[in-house]
């Protein structure tokens, strides 16, 4: 057995959907966006077309809050704080240059999940600047922490634990200095109550006390943000609070008496401000008196408002960005003459599908809105876990949408490459099938060339999807879900044309429908025809079914996506693939499926606890009929089925701990060999090695922490060797070809998230020898189970020694790593 070595790998593509929490994302002053994705923290620079640059894995529960601490003079890196369901605050050191990070430490203290974080840099009189941050959790407490980077042993120190009055759960926090000298600090706390609580502290002692409770909202308050009204010294402080009552309230914090505050407020209706519900509140901090008063009520949204965040333009004008469940972002500004706050711009889907969650692409509201450091870009997160982005164009004085990133929001359960390696299909428990491909850039920007993006969302389903397989050389696939049938889809001409433009590929679509649509109350994507039935082919290429960029007119909704990856609304509405067939026969939910390499046969199995249901059913794709009788040998659920490279053999493994090899017989398959005790515990995956002259090799992986290699001639297989791991092995896949040295390469994934590359040699006597065993660096590991591995078929552009491996994770991430073989 070879010694295990650690290797690095380049991340060609990282995709992960964001967690739907309003506090689970933040945009640093250096331009890096951090957001929670399942139990991970993802780093993304929106100016970099290559998408997510790092996935940070240390949390053991959903990440609900992230926040960048302010950088101090001399800092070359930024500190990122994250918290979530694991009740632990974790700190990271982020490099703004390449948006990568290293883990610093965990800070414990809360007894329940952490919901929100606020941060501030404080400079007490005569003392160096230090960072403080506050964390709010479901234990109804707010904890105040200090960070001192010079303290090597204990850089994070708990200063105070504040219990919320009436025991409400904090959902948002905001910290700000009260004056220019930062002698006083204000902390605003909101949550599962309709009031805003104001705490203050002196900068020297940092002991927060409750000073005021601001009533007014009619429901829970979801977001808070402070900003100075003007850049001049002595300016008042403004606080924005956003609520589920569909309103944003603005509050003014003024140093001095109530009368001076009224005199300082511009365009304020005094009769409104002095009503009992909007009384002026007196507070103090550091020996200085302040007052808090209601400033304005912002009306316009038609559903819950999740976030409200301030920005200041280059000329000093204040802008407020609000994100709502009504599928819109509003950018508010104060009218210079009247002082009334008005909507300067509205982005998203105005007056459409208010918070609805229909299958065909309603966003279900925007969960967060973020400003770029310069205030020229805004991003927002929708129900599908995908980001939307708008850039401000000063020449047109308008906000223009541009492409962003997307990803699955639950476990990725299946992977399948197209036979030529042009695109990768993935299925997930989030009930979607997604198509990922490499953008050539079309000469628009050299940095975008070769970047990976989600190019289509062929299936949006009503059941959790479990498995997928492309059908040979055709542009079709079959998928299985938590239902008794399988569904077959084919690529529509509109998506084929878009892909040919974005990937510089030509696709044979001789009989494909134009596009697809889904009925409001249906699960089946229906083919639609955008052209007249009498339309004649415009060229010989079109008549032969080969699409070029000159024929077939793309529907208007996809027209713009021939120059850049599609926007989220196009992905979820206009890139569906039509369903062409349903395959029936199984009695329970589909557990696994695969297709032969020539695309002529589909093999599938379902969840089972008896011999009658633990069968493998074969379907031929010419007439879509079942080849009877079904293959019967297993007694429990079949976990994986795989065809050999020449389709002569079919391998199946299952929870009954046995593997079975089936051989081609006429148009179907028959039992060749059955190993009833292949492993001591259930077998979770299997893979065929590249065929040698006479010997065939396949690998099986089990919950007994073993990978076993089986070698055979003349369809008789025996144990050729095994490899012991420290945790259950959940996924294996062989590189389709031998290496230049004549060796086989097996990718191995485990329940603990480790991914290994094992180089194997087969001796003449049939023994399998591990020549090299390399595990991917700890920073590339997954936080949970590796569900499936899939090598990308070799393409003409690839280096002979470098290949790409797709990894499906239980954490909802999809990763493509480029590794040396």
């Amino acid at each position: 057995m070879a010694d295990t070595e650690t290797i690095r790998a380049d991340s060609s593509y990282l995709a992960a959907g964001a967690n739907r929490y309003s506090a689970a994302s933040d945009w640093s002053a250096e331009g890096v966006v951090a957001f929670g994705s399942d139990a991970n923290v993802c780093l993304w620079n929106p100016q970099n077309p290559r998408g997510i640059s790092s996935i940070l894995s240390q949390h053991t529960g959903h990440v609900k809050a992230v926040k960048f601490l302010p950088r101090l003079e001399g800092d070359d890196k930024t500190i990122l704080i994250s918290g979530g369901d694991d009740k632990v605050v974790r700190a990271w050191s982020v490099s703004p240059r390449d948006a990568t990070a290293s883990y610093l430490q965990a800070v414990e203290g809360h007894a329940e999940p952490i919901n929100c974080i606020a941060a501030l840099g404080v400079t007490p009189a005569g003392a160096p600047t230090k960072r403080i941050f506050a964390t709010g959790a479901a234990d109804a407490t707010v904890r105040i922490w200090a960070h001192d980077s010079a303290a090597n042993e204990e850089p994070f120190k708990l200063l105070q634990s504040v219990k919320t009055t009436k025991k409400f759960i904090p959902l948002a926090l905001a910290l700000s200095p009260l004056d220019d000298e930062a002698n006083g600090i204000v902390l605003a706390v909101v949550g599962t109550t309709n009031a805003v609580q104001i705490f203050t502290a002196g900068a020297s002692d940092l002991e927060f006390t409750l000073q005021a409770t601001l009533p007014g909202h009619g429901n829970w308050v979801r977001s808070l943000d402070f900003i100075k009204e003007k850049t001049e010294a002595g300016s008042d402080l403004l606080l924005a609070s956003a609520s589920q009552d569909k309103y944003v309230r603005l509050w003014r914090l003024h140093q001095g008496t109530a009368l001076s505050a009224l005199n300082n407020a511009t365009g304020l209706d005094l009769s409104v401000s002095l009503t009992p519900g909007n009384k002026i509140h007196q507070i103090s901090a550091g020996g200085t008196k302040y007052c808090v008063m209601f400033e304005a009520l912002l009306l316009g949204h038609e559903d819950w408002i999740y976030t409200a965040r301030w920005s200041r333009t280059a000329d000093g004008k204040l802008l407020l960005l609000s994100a709502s469940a009504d599928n819109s972002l509003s950018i508010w500004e104060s009218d210079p003459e009247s002082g009334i706050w008005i909507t300067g711009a509205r982005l998203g889907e105005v007056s459409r599908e208010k918070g609805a969650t229909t299958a065909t692409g309603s966003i279900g509201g925007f969960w967060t809105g973020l400003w770029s450091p310069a205030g020229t870009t805004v991003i927002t997160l929708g129900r599908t876990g995908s980001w939307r982005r708008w850039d401000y164009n000063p020449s047109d004085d308008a906000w223009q949408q541009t492409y962003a990133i997307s990803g699955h929001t639950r476990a990725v359960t299946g992977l399948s490459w197209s036979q030529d390696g042009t695109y990768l299909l993935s299925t997930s428990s989030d009930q979607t099938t997604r198509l990922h491909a490499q953008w050539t850039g079309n000469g628009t920007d050299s940095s975008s060339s070769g970047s990976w993006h989600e190019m289509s969302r062929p299936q949006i389903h009503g059941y959790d999807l479990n498995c997928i397989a492309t059908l040979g050389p055709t542009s079709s696939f079959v998928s299985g879900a938590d239902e008794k049938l399988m569904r077959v889809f084919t690529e529509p001409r509109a998506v084929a044309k878009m892909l040919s433009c974005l990937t510089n590929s030509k696709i044979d679509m001789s009989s494909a429908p134009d596009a697809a649509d889904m009925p409001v109350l249906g699960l089946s994507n229906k083919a639609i025809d955008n052209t007249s039935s009498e339309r004649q082919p415009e060229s010989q290429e079109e008549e032969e079914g080969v699409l070029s960029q000159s024929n077939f007119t793309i529907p208007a909704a996809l027209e713009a996506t021939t120059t850049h990856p599609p926007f989220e609304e196009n992905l979820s509405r206009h890139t569906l693939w039509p369903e062409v067939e349903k395959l029936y026969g199984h009695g329970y939910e589909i557990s696994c499926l695969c297709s032969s390499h020539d695309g002529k046969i589909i093999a599938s199995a379902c969840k089972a606890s008896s011999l009658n249901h633990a069968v493998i059913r074969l379907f031929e794709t010419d007439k879509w009929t079942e080849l009877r009788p079904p293959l019967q040998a297993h007694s429990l659920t079949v976990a994986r089925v795989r065809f050999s490279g020449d389709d002569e053999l079919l391998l199946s493994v299952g929870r009954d701990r046995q593997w079975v090899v089936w051989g081609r017989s006429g148009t179907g398959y028959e039992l060749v060999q059955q190993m009833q005790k292949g492993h001591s515990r259930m077998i979770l995956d299997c893979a065929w090695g590249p065929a040698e002259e006479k010997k065939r090799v396949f690998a099986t992986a089990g919950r007994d922490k073993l990978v076993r290699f089986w070698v055979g001639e003349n369809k008789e297989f025996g144990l050729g060797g095994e490899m012991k791991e420290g945790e259950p092995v959940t996924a294996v896949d062989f590189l389709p070809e031998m290496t230049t040295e004549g060796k086989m390469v097996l990718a191995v994934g485990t329940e603990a998230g480790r991914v290994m590359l094992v180089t194997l040699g087969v001796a003449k006597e049939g023994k399998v020898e591990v020549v090299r065993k390399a595990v991917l660096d700890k920073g590339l590991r997954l936080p949970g189970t590796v569900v499936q591995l899939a090598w990308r078929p070799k393409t003409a552009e690839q280096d002979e020694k470098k290949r790409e491996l797709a990894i499906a994770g239980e954490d909802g991430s999809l990763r493509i790593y480029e590794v040396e073989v």
Side-chain angles (χ1 to χ4, degrees):
M1 177 72 72
D3 292 335
T4 303
E5 58 181 283
T6 301
I7 60 170
R8 293 288 302 170
D10 295 327
S11 299
S12 299
Y13 181 48
L14 300 173
N19 292 340
R20 296 190 302 247
Y21 303 106
S22 56
S25 57
D26 194 27
W27 202 330
S28 74
E30 294 74 37
V32 178
V33 174
F35 62 89
S37 175
D38 197 80
N40 301 316
V41 176
C42 299
L43 301 181
W44 165 46
N45 184 345
Q47 302 303 321
N48 185 346
R50 296 188 177 272
I52 297 173
S53 57
S54 299
I55 298 180
L56 313 178
S57 302
Q58 285 292 335
H59 283 282
T60 57
H62 264 64
V63 176
K64 289 185 171 180
V66 298
K67 195 72 176 179
F68 286 100
L69 299 187
R71 287 180 72 175
L72 305 182
E73 188 175 350
D75 287 350
D76 59 345
K77 293 189 176 182
T78 306
I79 303 298
L80 173 67
I81 303 296
S82 60
D85 282 342
D86 59 2
K87 312 170 190 176
V88 178
V89 175
R90 300 186 187 271
W92 315 80
S93 176
V94 179
S95 171
R97 182 179 57 83
D98 54 3
T100 58
S102 58
Y103 181 60
L104 294 179
Q105 73 173 86
V107 184
E108 299 184 4
H110 283 290
E112 295 295 336
I114 297 167
N115 294 328
C116 47
I117 303 172
L120 181 67
V122 180
T123 309
T129 303
K130 60 182 177 181
R131 288 179 281 242
I132 65 169
F133 63 94
T135 56
D139 56 9
T141 65
V142 176
R143 291 178 180 260
I144 314 299
W145 311 80
H147 173 255
D148 184 1
S149 55
N152 295 325
E153 293 186 2
E154 194 177 346
F156 294 93
K157 182 181 178 182
L158 178 64
L159 300 179
Q160 185 184 0
S161 182
V162 179
K163 289 188 177 181
T164 59
T165 306
K166 295 184 180 179
K167 286 248 178 187
F168 70 85
I169 297 174
L171 297 178
L173 307 171
L175 280 167
S176 176
L178 277 167
D179 51 33
D180 298 315
E181 293 77 27
N183 293 321
I185 299 171
V186 59
L187 167 67
V189 182
V190 294
T192 56
T193 181
N194 57 3
V196 181
Q197 291 194 346
I198 301 295
F199 296 80
T200 62
S204 56
D205 59 10
L206 291 176
E207 187 72 22
F208 285 90
T209 58
L210 178 63
Q211 296 284 322
T213 299
L214 311 180
H217 282 293
N219 207 327
W220 292 1
V221 187
R222 289 280 185 168
S223 179
L224 293 168
D225 200 20
F226 281 110
I227 195 170
K228 284 187 65 177
E229 184 180 24
K230 299 175 183 177
T231 55
E232 296 89 49
S235 170
D236 286 354
L237 199 62
L238 293 180
L239 169 65
S241 60
S243 169
Q244 292 178 185
D245 64 7
K246 310 175 188 177
Y247 303 129
V248 176
R249 285 180 173 262
L250 303 186
W251 311 86
R252 179 180 295 275
L253 281 75
H254 173 75
Q255 182 176 347
T257 64
L259 184 61
S260 64
L262 291 172
N263 293 332
N264 199 58
T266 58
L268 190 66
D269 186 343
L270 299 185
S271 62
V272 172
S273 296
L274 297 177
T275 57
N278 296 307
K279 70 175 186 178
I280 297 176
H281 300 264
Q282 302 285 349
I283 64 174
S284 64
T288 306
K289 293 187 178 299
Y290 302 85
C291 62
V292 185
M293 59 187 296
F294 172 70
E295 171 79 4
L297 181 67
L298 277 53
L299 305 89
H301 285 295
E302 300 176 34
D303 212 329
W304 293 5
I305 303 175
Y306 285 112
T307 60
R309 286 191 169 87
W310 292 106
S311 179
R312 194 187 304 276
T313 63
D315 59 1
K317 183 170 70 173
L318 286 184
L319 299 176
L320 180 68
L321 175 69
S322 59
S324 169
D326 65 6
N327 292 339
S328 70
L329 291 177
S330 289
I331 298 177
W332 306 84
E333 58 186 60
S334 177
D335 182 75
E337 295 183 1
S338 65
I340 297 174
W341 287 84
I342 58 174
T343 304
R346 197 163 169 107
L347 311 173
E349 302 174 22
V350 183
S351 300
R352 182 185 177 99
E353 296 173 350
K354 307 301 181 194
T357 55
T358 59
T360 52
S362 77
I363 302 307
F366 292 151
W367 288 74
T368 189
L370 296 174
W371 289 101
S372 66
T376 56
T377 299
V378 296
I379 59 174
T380 187
L381 169 67
R383 178 180 64 87
T384 58
S386 304
W387 291 94
R388 293 184 175 197
R389 172 183 161 195
W390 288 266
D391 294 331
Y392 180 68
N393 187 339
S395 60
D396 297 334
D397 189 25
W399 292 87
Q400 296 179 345
Q401 189 170 3
T402 185
Y403 61 90
I405 59 174
S406 62
H408 289 292
T409 57
R410 294 181 64 188
V412 182
T413 53
L415 298 174
S416 184
W417 288 96
S418 63
Q419 204 164 71
D420 60 359
T422 300
Y423 59 79
L424 173 67
L425 289 168
S426 62
T427 58
S428 167
S429 296
D430 68 4
Q431 304 182 351
T432 64
T433 296
R434 306 186 186 219
L435 183 150
H436 316 264
Q438 212 166 0
W439 183 27
T440 58
N442 295 335
T444 55
D445 183 1
S446 59
S447 63
S448 65
S449 180
S451 59
W452 285 82
H453 303 268
E454 183 183 349
M455 299 295 192
S456 175
R457 200 164 297 165
Q459 185 182 9
I460 301 175
H461 205 31
Y463 293 96
D464 292 1
L465 290 158
N466 298 329
C467 44
I468 190 170
T470 53
L471 298 180
T474 66
S475 296
S476 301
F477 71 87
V478 57
S479 65
D482 280 346
E483 55 180 346
K484 300 177 183 180
L485 65 149
M486 295 171 287
R487 300 173 187 266
V488 181
F489 299 82
T490 191
E491 187 177 33
R493 293 161 65 87
V495 174
K497 176 64 181 287
M498 180 186 69
L499 284 177
S500 70
C501 294
L502 295 175
T503 64
N504 280 345
S505 60
K506 288 191 175 182
I507 306 171
D508 183 6
M509 296 297 295
S510 54
S511 59
D514 286 344
D517 192 18
M518 182 185 286
V520 175
L521 298 178
L523 289 175
S524 301
N525 299 351
K526 302 297 184 184
I528 57 176
D529 191 354
N530 284 338
T531 60
S532 168
S533 59
E534 282 115 16
R535 175 180 175 272
Q536 298 298 316
E538 297 177 6
S539 65
Q540 183 178 353
E541 273 189 325
E542 185 177 1
E543 189 169 5
E544 294 171 354
V546 179
L547 293 179
S548 70
Q549 295 189 24
S550 60
N551 51 39
F552 180 66
T553 303
I554 289 185
L558 291 182
E559 188 66 47
T561 62
T562 57
T563 58
H564 59 73
F567 301 147
E568 172 59 23
E569 64 263 31
N570 286 332
L571 280 173
S572 56
R573 290 201 179 100
H574 304 299
T575 62
L576 291 170
W577 290 23
E579 182 182 312
V580 295
E581 197 64 48
K582 294 181 177 71
L583 304 177
Y584 296 91
H586 290 292
Y588 292 96
E589 298 92 337
I590 306 299
S591 62
C592 63
L593 57 80
C594 69
S595 76
S596 58
H597 294 79
D598 59 12
K600 294 182 178 180
I601 297 179
I602 296 170
S604 62
C606 71
K607 296 179 181 178
S609 57
S610 65
L611 280 167
N612 291 335
H613 290 289
V615 296
I616 299 169
R617 297 186 183 274
L618 303 179
F619 299 85
E620 54 86 19
T621 59
D622 185 21
K623 297 181 180 179
W624 302 110
T625 56
E626 183 180 352
L627 300 176
R628 295 182 180 273
L631 308 181
Q632 192 169 21
H634 291 277
S635 58
L636 294 174
T637 301
V638 176
R640 195 76 193 274
V641 286
R642 302 288 293 268
F643 284 94
S644 62
D646 57 4
D647 294 332
E648 287 298 314
L649 300 176
L650 175 65
L651 172 65
S652 62
V653 297
R655 294 178 176 269
D656 55 3
R657 300 178 292 178
Q658 66 175 321
W659 57 256
V660 183
V661 174
W662 314 84
R664 187 185 286 274
S665 174
T667 58
Y669 287 79
E670 63 180 7
L671 179 65
V672 170
Q673 187 178 355
Q674 182 177 9
M675 182 65 69
Q676 292 187 339
K677 293 184 179 180
H679 284 254
S680 60
R681 297 189 66 186
M682 66 176 68
I683 307 178
L684 300 176
D685 202 3
C686 62
W688 287 100
E692 295 192 65
E693 291 183 3
K694 293 184 178 180
K695 290 188 177 68
R696 292 182 186 269
V697 177
F698 67 84
T700 55
R703 191 162 289 283
D704 57 3
K705 307 178 184 179
L706 290 175
V707 178
R708 284 186 164 166
F709 309 107
W710 308 87
V711 183
E713 296 184 41
N714 299 322
K715 300 182 180 180
E716 287 293 327
F717 293 86
L719 183 63
E722 65 181 30
M723 185 174 70
K724 180 74 173 177
E725 293 303 322
E727 60 267 357
V729 183
T730 54
V732 290
D733 194 43
F734 273 104
L735 189 69
E737 306 88 15
M738 294 284 192
T739 65
T740 52
E741 293 82 17
K743 305 297 183 183
M744 294 181 291
V745 177
L746 178 69
V748 178
T750 71
E751 192 175 65
R754 291 195 307 145
V755 177
M756 291 162 284
L757 301 181
V758 183
T759 305
L760 303 170
V762 181
K764 289 184 178 180
E765 59 273 17
K767 295 298 180 183
V768 176
E769 178 187 7
V770 177
V771 179
R772 176 177 180 250
K773 183 180 178 184
V775 60
L776 293 189
D777 183 81
K778 188 176 181 180
L780 301 175
R781 293 183 189 175
L782 280 65
T785 301
V786 177
V787 178
Q788 191 174 336
L789 299 168
W791 289 98
R792 185 184 186 185
K794 193 173 187 309
T795 60
E797 299 80 17
Q798 279 185 315
D799 188 325
E800 189 71 31
K801 294 290 291 181
K802 289 188 176 181
R803 299 297 294 273
E804 288 178 311
L805 176 66
I807 305 169
E810 193 179 43
D811 63 342
S813 68
L814 170 62
R815 311 169 190 226
I816 300 178
Y817 290 153
E818 186 178 63
V819 296
E820 288 193 10
V821 296

